[in-house]
Amino acid sequence: MLRVHFGELDLARLRMAIRPDALWETVLSFHRLREHRAVTVYGEWRSLARNRLNGEARLLAPLIPSRGYFPDFLTPAEGGMGCDSGMEALRATSQTRLHTEISRLPAAARLPGWIRDLGQGERRSLDRLTAALASYHHAAIAPYWPRLQARIEADRAVRGRALLDGGADGLLASLPPTMRWRPPVLEVDYPADRDLELGGRGLLLQPSFFCRRTPVTLFDPDLRPVLVYPVEHAPRPAPPHPPARPATAPRPRPAPAPAPAHVPGSGAAQSLSKLVGQTRSAVLQGVGGGCTTSELARRVGVSLASASQHATVLRDAGLVLTLRRGSAVLHTLTPLGAALLRGGAPAQSPAQSSMPERSTPATM
């Protein structure tokens, strides 16, 4: 078990990551690539990623064992700003740190020559490492970045609402069951017995798509404290297959859906009838604990204009409240919208799929 010890200043400096960390996702996905578990979540991604790779996995395997320790320098803090920033920071790693962290690997005495050279600060070996990591990232992570981002944003919305409702205590108490807030200690399921004293530095909470089962933290307690934890993955239902109709048959007009029994008022019932269909159900679910219009568009997989239009219909129905915060518009569920979600089973949005789908590489 990992025990993270908070002081008053640490609670004040508790932060949520604003986006996926490019290098944490890269390294943790490498674990998922080599295992055969969680087929529902990672199975299709695993097959597609393996087809895109060209020897990177063989090069990286000695540095990233299947389980246990891997060097902290592979996941610099700058990875939160994107792959390029993370690679720049990795290239700037000192020779002393390279040597110290590589020597901690369980099979340090049997490492390939180029990794032993890396431990001595050999520049060509460092260039080889960053090239392999960058190539792996662009093959296995970049094509799926919008899906990763949507998952992290959905998790952030949940944590943000918990923070608004209950402060730092509420946020820490809202974390997944693998983490238990027992003030002033956060107990974390962890493969080793450790204590992490924050000492006024605060903690960065980093939700991750490719983290599985238990959270992860850095080995060196003197580095900026970060706790990487898995986001929730929900199975994606198979799309319905409508029966075929003869080409000459007129298209039947769908009957209006009845308003839910617990929704009072004829005006609300008329507005709710507009919600029939998978997309608006997905939009309602995508609003979750709160999001901007652009975040909603990414979560549901629709255009910005379409997300805005659907949010307007939901607002007219009394299910969504829209507020302006500076230049952004924030959508949140009303109590009626939350009650509707609890009382039914709305369709999942494309951004809440069980694994990332093919898409064009995203710019980070």
Side-chain angles (χ1 to χ4, degrees):
M1 177 185 294
L2 171 68
R3 292 168 293 275
V4 185
H5 299 267
F6 283 77
E8 291 185 8
L9 190 54
D10 299 308
L11 290 173
R13 292 177 173 174
L14 179 66
R15 295 178 296 133
M16 282 292 305
I18 63 175
R19 61 178 67 88
D21 185 293
L23 291 190
W24 273 110
E25 295 295 350
T26 297
V27 172
L28 293 175
S29 75
F30 194 65
H31 291 293
R32 307 290 82 82
L33 185 76
R34 293 178 292 176
E35 67 183 11
H36 302 287
R37 301 175 182 177
V39 174
T40 303
V41 177
Y42 303 112
E44 187 177 345
W45 165 82
R46 196 177 289 131
S47 298
L48 296 174
R50 284 171 177 164
N51 289 335
R52 289 191 174 101
L53 294 173
N54 187 28
E56 296 89 348
R58 177 181 54 80
L59 282 172
L60 295 173
L63 270 177
I64 311 173
S66 298
R67 59 195 314 176
Y69 169 83
F70 58 83
D72 290 336
F73 65 74
L74 293 174
T75 55
E78 290 81 358
M81 295 184 287
C83 184
D84 292 342
S85 297
M87 291 302 168
E88 266 187 54
L90 200 160
R91 288 189 188 95
T93 306
S94 68
Q95 187 274 330
T96 300
R97 184 176 173 189
L98 289 169
H99 176 75
T100 300
E101 295 187 8
I102 288 175
S103 66
R104 294 189 185 120
L105 286 165
R110 302 188 301 275
L111 290 172
W114 77 272
I115 296 181
R116 293 198 299 271
D117 292 341
L118 175 64
Q120 301 304 316
E122 209 277 326
R123 176 54 54 180
R124 284 179 299 178
S125 295
L126 189 56
D127 290 342
R128 187 177 186 184
L129 169 62
T130 54
L133 270 175
S135 180
Y136 176 90
H137 175 89
H138 289 300
I141 304 298
Y144 312 101
W145 192 258
R147 304 294 178 179
L148 272 69
Q149 190 171 21
R151 282 287 187 179
I152 270 63
E153 286 175 354
D155 186 90
R156 275 174 49 84
V158 172
R159 309 303 158 217
R161 177 54 58 89
L163 179 66
L164 289 173
D165 291 345
D169 275 319
L171 169 57
L172 290 168
S174 78
L175 293 171
T178 53
M179 295 173 279
R180 296 162 297 280
W181 176 232
R182 307 187 196 280
V185 177
L186 180 65
E187 296 179 351
V188 181
D189 291 346
Y190 200 71
D193 193 61
R194 284 187 60 184
D195 286 274
L196 176 58
E197 299 283 351
L198 297 180
R201 295 173 295 168
L203 179 69
L204 175 67
L205 293 170
Q206 176 69 62
S208 167
F209 186 93
F210 284 105
C211 184
R212 192 172 78 86
R213 293 185 298 181
T214 59
V216 186
T217 191
L218 296 168
F219 181 88
D220 187 347
D222 293 329
L223 294 173
R224 184 195 70 167
V226 58
L227 188 63
V228 182
Y229 66 90
V231 297
E232 182 181 355
H233 294 283
R236 180 180 174 182
H241 297 283
R245 291 192 297 268
T248 57
R251 177 174 294 181
R253 168 173 276 173
H262 61 280
V263 179
S266 60
Q270 292 173 359
S271 295
L272 286 171
S273 67
K274 300 177 183 178
L275 298 176
V276 176
Q278 183 178 2
T279 301
R280 286 209 178 116
S281 294
V283 168
L284 185 63
Q285 188 176 18
V287 170
C291 63
T292 64
T293 305
S294 59
E295 289 170 350
L296 180 61
R298 284 196 294 268
R299 291 179 192 178
V300 183
V302 297
S303 68
L304 190 62
S306 180
S308 178
Q309 180 183 16
H310 289 305
T312 298
V313 173
L314 292 170
R315 185 175 65 248
D316 292 343
L319 303 178
V320 166
L321 179 65
T322 300
L323 301 172
R324 183 169 291 279
R325 289 290 181 266
S327 61
V329 172
L330 179 67
H331 307 289
T332 59
L333 292 177
T334 65
L336 180 61
L340 181 62
L341 281 182
R342 287 196 301 269
Q348 291 186 342
S349 71
Q352 292 173 313
S353 63
S354 60
M355 53 77 60
E357 297 176 346
R358 274 186 194 268
S359 62
T360 55
T363 301
M364 295 177 289

